């Protein structure tokens, strides 16, 4: 080959904000914060604060490649750390405060973070786990000095008086930038280490019309947490397209979201279905209108068709997305095409509402049968969904082997079809994970714990549709012959061993159905109890 | 630094078409061709033909890194070569048939191309220059077998019967893919060698709403030549976004464009101002409407304000772009922002119509004075425009030194301002280049040739506004004392030495104005004769 003669400048996350600060200098960033008045700033001012934060962080003796953990909500300071950290060559581990303490501690220790930056209302969590954190040397509260808890240092004190310029260091574009943990189907959480390259490429592709379709006239309120796969990349796709940002902190209830939507002119938001179910209910109860809101992207679980229809009636487009922490996370987004439009509006809506979405440039997909044979794109044949591309992981953090096959394909664990329109539909999901309000409950963990209860022979857990939480676990118990157990006995046993919200909504005593190969047949359980939590 | 753990799959041009063939399989590609009926195909079918072309080209014993030259119009076959060539690791040199023979021969020899692929009506050019081509081993006509000239092989014969799949080879993403020559201000044309990486990144950024803003509902007709910086990247930005393509071959007259616009539903086109001046005139004369057309991007020369206003009245948005072969070529695109909208519609239109455009993510820009000091973004101070980024060249092909300074900045040769809205305006251009109908005439070449005429002491050439061609050259001649020369004498001398369309529109005998440092003062000439060709 003949090498090209273009500039091989590394892709760098900080360049996204540097661009926005020059080309969209006065575009606004608005943020709620814990116990603080509404924050109102611009890209120009934010760039200066990010430079100050870099100077401030430098005083902690951090070096490139070091990890820092955040335990924070959707706020402007968290957003600033998304640039200051990677700008310095640090890796930002976005710790998930919804994890059980044990998993939270595991992720921070596994990341080996030296600094923990957290919102003020995370202090109780921190004080509960601090003795188990093995590598944290310093803690910074994401507050101003007036509101910093006794004995803690506030972020505004760290950056105060620092220069508003920074001479950002250069490093290769495959340098790590974000460490996001996924609670897998079993065992410890696994870390996915995004690089500058993967984040920038994902951000470019995410802004296109076939994905999020951002323009500088969009006002984007991330309704998905910044600690969930970097809020699906919005903090990077947004500034590239010059959007106004509105950060809701931790207030995802209908009234709080509606207040920001109407006062700040939010046109675009997103999140898990639970949040938007609550919002719809709020609109119904108050009779208010979604006003400026044009689009909601929903992922994390399949979008209930009724929700899409209800929003459509209010003039809001609901677009499903599918992705995983391992895919940065955008895999597919449900956006229209002329080929669908040619089939008529009803057909197009059905496709858009019932498929996870259509393919994006940058994520190769194939579905294969058990022998690895590729299946046709006919919308009928399903198979294991494999993905490949520059924002798909290659290996989990500290793992000793690749997470992909030798051709680079990553097995998503989902089973899906792909149709002739390029739309992918999940037909059977990772059977052992339950998505409750956007958080994952591992059914295998629950089964293993319940199996430890004296008298239990087999415990089987399945996720069942729930009108508010999307899914909740139910548990089937087969007892050893002659053993008498009640649901109360099982609950009492589980209570001290699991997070309270992992408790099954139903505990049912009956023989556990098995597949031909002797595995628990979750599909049969789900079919049998499909409606048990809907009433 | 800590290396990230995402897939470092190289960016590859062929992946763009592979994506479109899966995700937009039935989207159309329509093409005029020399002496052939209208071609109508799809991305799915085109991918198969590209695979067949790869098999066909393999029979010529080409190896990765080899160059092939095209001498071709905007047709589907040319488009197919844009994928088949780079897919094989070949470098496609898009030769410019409008160059004087001497320059055309120079570029093909300098590229060292082994194969020449050309449209049927290029045969006269080829037969004129064939004896001077030093490296061409084979010639393929971009025709079907029925219409191939006697003694030539046709493209359809090369690909006929070949397998419709191809196992594309892998190579580093900085491998060369396209070699585009720019006729600089002086001396020989210079080659810019685009890489797979630069082309793919440019295509991703070009599709965003701040640039071309493509969606799958767009019908894109490239009105700029495929041999001009790959038609500004449309052949790559288009398929990423699933657009329908309409290729007009070499028929850029108003009636021919209008026929395709209305019959194929073209929403988006682009080109140099000359083409769109002719199109506007056609609409005026016929009273026809631009119908489905929504946007025209215009570059190569500044857009006359009157043209933008005239199109706006017809419901068509005119957007200026600025770029160079050296910048792949998109540098800025004139798209609206909320900050401009807040100033009112008149203000916004004025900004959009009179600036070259606003900054894009991926192209860093700065303006510096003669000491290299960066100038403020106030829309007033001007300076040399320097650019940097992953789709800016680092070095000309076969040059021995970098084309950039040590920090990677490339001096565009243009002088510009940047304003607080991030919009760039060229205030003074490369003084020695004349843009006539989208083609460049080197005034220095013309001056040097004229200076060879017996009796001429100094010849000065400047570009003057021309209502049809944007600019045409005029020439000032100072004779040696006592010499008598007429305009006819000069014309007779030039005639055999230059392409006919380089002939100055006026030859004027008078003292040549000089600057303080003794250089020809083109600005004085342009001011003095500003209106001489407008009448």
């Amino acid at each position: 080959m003949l090498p090209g003669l273009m500039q091989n400048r590394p892709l760098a996350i900080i360049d996204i904000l540097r661009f926005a600060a020059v080309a969209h200098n006065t575009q606004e960033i608005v943020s709620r914060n814990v116990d603080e008045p509404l924050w109102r700033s611009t890209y120009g001012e934010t760039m200066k604060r990010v430079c100050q934060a870099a100077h401030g962080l430098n005083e902690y003796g951090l070096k490139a490649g070091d990890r820092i953990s955040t335990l924070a909500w959707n706020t402007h300071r968290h957003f600033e750390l998304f640039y200051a950290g990677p700008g310095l060559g640090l890796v930002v581990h976005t710790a998930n405060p919804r994890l059980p303490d044990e998993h939270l501690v595991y992720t921070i220790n596994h990341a080996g973070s030296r600094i923990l930056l957290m919102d003020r209302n995370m202090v109780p969590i921190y004080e509960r786990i601090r003795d188990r954190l093995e590598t944290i040397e310093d803690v910074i509260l994401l507050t101003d000095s007036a509101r910093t808890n006794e004995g803690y240092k506030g972020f505004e004190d760290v950056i105060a008086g620092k220069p508003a310029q920074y001479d950002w260091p250069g490093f290769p574009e495959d340098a790590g930038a974000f460490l996001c943990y996924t609670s897998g189907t079993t065992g410890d959480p696994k870390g996915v280490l995004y690089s500058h390259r993967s984040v920038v490429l994902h951000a470019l592709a995410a802004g296109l019309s076939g994905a999020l379709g951002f323009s500088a006239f969009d006002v984007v309120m991330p309704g998905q947490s910044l600690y969930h796969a970097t809020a699906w990349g919005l903090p990077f796709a947004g500034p590239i397209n010059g959007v106004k940002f509105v950060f809701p902190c931790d207030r995802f209830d209908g009234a709080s979201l509606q207040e920001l939507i109407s006062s700040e002119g939010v046109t675009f938001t997103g999140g898990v279905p639970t949040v938007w179910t609550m919002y719809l209910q709020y609109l119904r109860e108050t009779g208010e209108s979604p006003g400026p809101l044009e689009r909601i992207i929903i992922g994390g679980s399949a979008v209930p068709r009724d929700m899409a229809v209800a929003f459509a009636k209010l003039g809001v487009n609901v677009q499903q997305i599918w992705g995983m922490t391992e895919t940065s996370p955008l895999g597919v987004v449900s956006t229209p095409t002329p080929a669908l439009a040619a089939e008529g509006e009803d057909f197009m809506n059905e496709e858009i509402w019932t498929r996870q979405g259509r393919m994006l440039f940058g994520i190769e997909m194939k579905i294969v049968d058990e022998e690895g044979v590729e299946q046709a794109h006919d919308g009928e044949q399903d198979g294991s969904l494999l993905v490949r591309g520059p924002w798909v992981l290659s290996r989990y953090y500290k793992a000793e082997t690749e997470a992909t096959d030798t051709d680079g394909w990553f097995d998503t664990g989902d089973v899906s079809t792909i149709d002739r329109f390029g739309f992918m539909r999940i037909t059977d999901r990772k059977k052992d994970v339950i998505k409750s309000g956007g958080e994952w409950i591992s059914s295998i963990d629950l089964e293993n714990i319940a199996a430890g209860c004296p008298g239990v022979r087999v415990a089987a857990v399945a996720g069942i549709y729930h009108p508010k939480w999307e899914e909740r676990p139910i548990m089937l118990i087969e007892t050893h012959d002659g053993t008498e157990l009640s649901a109360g006995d099982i609950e009492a046993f589980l209570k001290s061993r699991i997070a309270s919200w992992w408790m099954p909504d139903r505990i049912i005593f009956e023989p556990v159905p098995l597949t031909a190969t002797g595995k628990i047949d979750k599909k049969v359980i789900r079919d049998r109890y499909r409606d048990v939590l809907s009433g």
Side-chain angles (χ1 to χ4, degrees), chain A:
Chain A
M1 73 108 181
L2 179 70
L5 291 167
M6 306 305 278
Q7 298 188 6
N8 280 325
R9 291 182 63 74
L11 302 175
I13 291 170
I14 193 70
D15 285 342
I16 295 175
L17 191 62
R18 291 176 62 212
F19 161 75
V22 172
H24 300 280
N25 184 270
T26 58
Q27 181 65 288
E28 283 187 306
I29 295 180
V30 175
S31 181
R32 281 212 177 103
N33 285 280
V34 178
D35 296 335
E36 289 182 41
L38 197 68
W39 171 269
R40 191 173 292 279
S41 186
T42 63
Y43 282 122
E45 291 303 312
T46 296
M47 187 69 224
K48 292 178 188 167
R49 285 176 51 83
V50 166
C51 290
Q52 293 181 303
H55 286 290
L57 286 171
N58 272 343
E59 294 184 354
Y60 289 82
L62 298 163
K63 58 183 194 309
D66 281 352
R67 275 77 64 209
I68 61 176
S69 287
T70 59
L71 201 50
W73 308 113
N74 288 12
T75 70
H76 73 286
R77 293 193 187 95
H78 204 181
F79 176 78
E80 288 160 7
L81 288 171
F82 273 30
Y83 285 96
L88 290 169
L90 304 175
V91 173
V92 175
H93 161 229
T94 51
N96 179 348
R98 304 282 193 207
L99 287 182
D101 286 358
E102 178 194 337
H103 282 180
L104 179 58
V105 168
Y106 174 88
T107 61
I108 298 172
N109 287 340
H110 189 261
S113 287
R114 295 182 57 191
I115 310 259
L116 177 65
L117 300 107
M118 60 185 178
D119 274 320
R120 197 179 170 203
N121 57 5
M122 300 290 187
V123 169
I125 297 177
Y126 170 66
E127 296 193 340
R128 212 160 63 213
I129 65 173
R130 64 186 298 169
D131 292 343
R132 288 180 274 164
L133 300 179
E134 296 163 3
T135 59
I136 295 294
E137 300 164 21
D138 285 289
V139 174
I140 299 170
L141 282 196
L142 297 170
T143 58
D144 58 22
S145 44
R147 292 178 184 83
T148 300
N149 296 27
E150 186 73 26
Y152 288 91
K153 184 151 195 175
F155 183 75
E156 297 301 322
D157 288 334
V158 171
I159 74 171
K162 297 290 187 297
Q165 284 85 37
Y166 196 90
D167 187 14
W168 299 101
F171 34 78
E173 69 186 25
D174 74 333
F178 287 90
L179 185 53
C180 302
Y181 282 83
T182 175
S183 21
T185 55
T186 175
D188 295 320
K190 289 182 279 189
V192 183
L193 184 52
Y194 299 164
S195 66
H196 284 259
R197 174 183 169 91
S198 72
V199 169
V200 174
L201 289 175
H202 180 265
L204 279 166
L208 295 172
S209 64
L212 310 181
F214 280 158
S215 93
F217 290 89
D218 272 313
V219 179
V220 173
M221 178 175 70
Q224 57 278 69
S225 301
L226 288 180
Y227 56 75
H228 272 157
T230 70
W232 309 352
L234 299 189
F236 311 109
I240 282 182
N241 295 285
V243 307
K244 169 178 169 178
F245 268 119
V246 179
F247 291 109
C249 192
D250 57 351
R251 293 166 61 184
F252 295 113
D253 62 284
S256 298
L257 294 176
Q258 175 69 356
E259 189 187 331
L260 287 179
I261 288 168
S262 51
S263 66
E264 297 298 332
V266 171
T267 62
F268 183 102
T269 184
V272 295
T274 303
V275 169
W276 301 107
T277 301
M278 294 190 298
Y279 177 67
L280 258 184
Q281 192 177 333
Y282 173 85
L283 294 182
R284 276 199 203 99
E285 286 167 8
T286 60
E288 292 181 27
S289 129
L293 192 61
E294 296 165 7
R295 283 175 297 154
I296 309 179
I297 52 164
I298 297 187
S301 310
V303 175
R305 200 179 179 293
D306 289 352
M307 181 194 292
V309 173
F311 272 116
K313 285 183 183 155
L314 294 167
V316 179
N317 276 323
V318 167
Q319 295 178 323
Q320 291 207 49
I321 74 163
W322 170 90
M324 316 169 69
T325 300
E326 288 89 339
T327 62
S328 293
L330 288 189
V332 297
V333 184
S334 199
T335 49
T337 66
L340 279 182
E343 305 281 333
E345 191 177 340
D346 287 349
F347 184 95
M348 182 160 80
N349 283 340
E350 193 64 22
E351 179 93 358
I352 284 178
W353 292 340
T354 62
R355 310 293 192 262
Q356 269 56 56
R358 75 174 162 95
M359 294 185 180
L360 301 178
F361 174 74
I363 292 267
E364 272 185 280
M365 295 194 152
K366 67 175 178 181
I367 46 175
V368 298
D369 67 13
E370 290 184 8
E371 279 74 45
V373 176
E374 201 165 343
Q375 304 295 291
H377 290 191
D378 60 6
E380 297 290 332
Q381 296 179 59
D382 64 13
S384 295
L385 177 65
L386 309 187
V387 297
R388 186 166 76 169
W391 55 87
V392 176
L393 97 164
S394 59
R395 181 188 287 231
Y396 291 103
Y397 185 50
K398 293 186 179 169
E400 289 175 4
T401 55
E402 295 296 293
T404 63
D405 68 18
T406 50
D407 291 327
W409 290 101
F410 172 71
D411 188 338
T412 63
D414 283 327
V415 176
S416 79
T417 60
I418 297 175
D419 67 21
R420 64 196 169 95
F421 300 104
F423 278 67
M424 185 274 283
R425 183 167 64 94
I426 305 282
T427 55
D428 207 356
R429 310 168 325 155
K430 283 172 186 144
K431 296 188 182 67
D432 34 11
V433 164
I434 297 156
K435 292 181 181 170
S436 172
E439 296 293 332
W440 285 19
I441 297 172
S442 165
S443 64
I444 288 191
D445 280 4
L446 258 183
E447 287 164 1
N448 288 345
I449 293 165
C453 178
V456 169
R457 197 171 80 87
V458 183
V461 173
I464 298 296
Y465 173 72
H466 185 285
K468 174 165 183 190
W469 300 106
E470 307 316 312
E471 280 190 348
R472 290 292 303 156
I474 67 165
M475 183 179 275
L476 264 58
I477 297 282
E478 267 187 54
T479 56
H480 287 290
D481 287 348
T483 307
E484 288 285 329
L485 281 171
S486 70
D489 297 331
I490 302 289
E491 285 170 5
F493 180 82
L494 293 175
K495 195 175 166 120
S496 61
R497 294 172 172 84
I498 59 171
S500 60
W501 57 279
W502 280 37
M503 186 63 75
D505 280 23
R506 291 281 190 292
I507 296 175
I508 299 157
F509 291 81
E510 68 174 30
V512 170
L514 300 178
T515 66
T517 56
K519 294 177 186 157
I520 295 171
D521 198 336
K522 302 265 172 108
K523 194 164 184 306
V524 168
I525 301 175
R526 286 197 298 265
D527 286 346
R528 190 181 296 164
Y529 294 102
R530 183 173 301 283
D531 303 315
V532 73
L533 304 180
S534 306

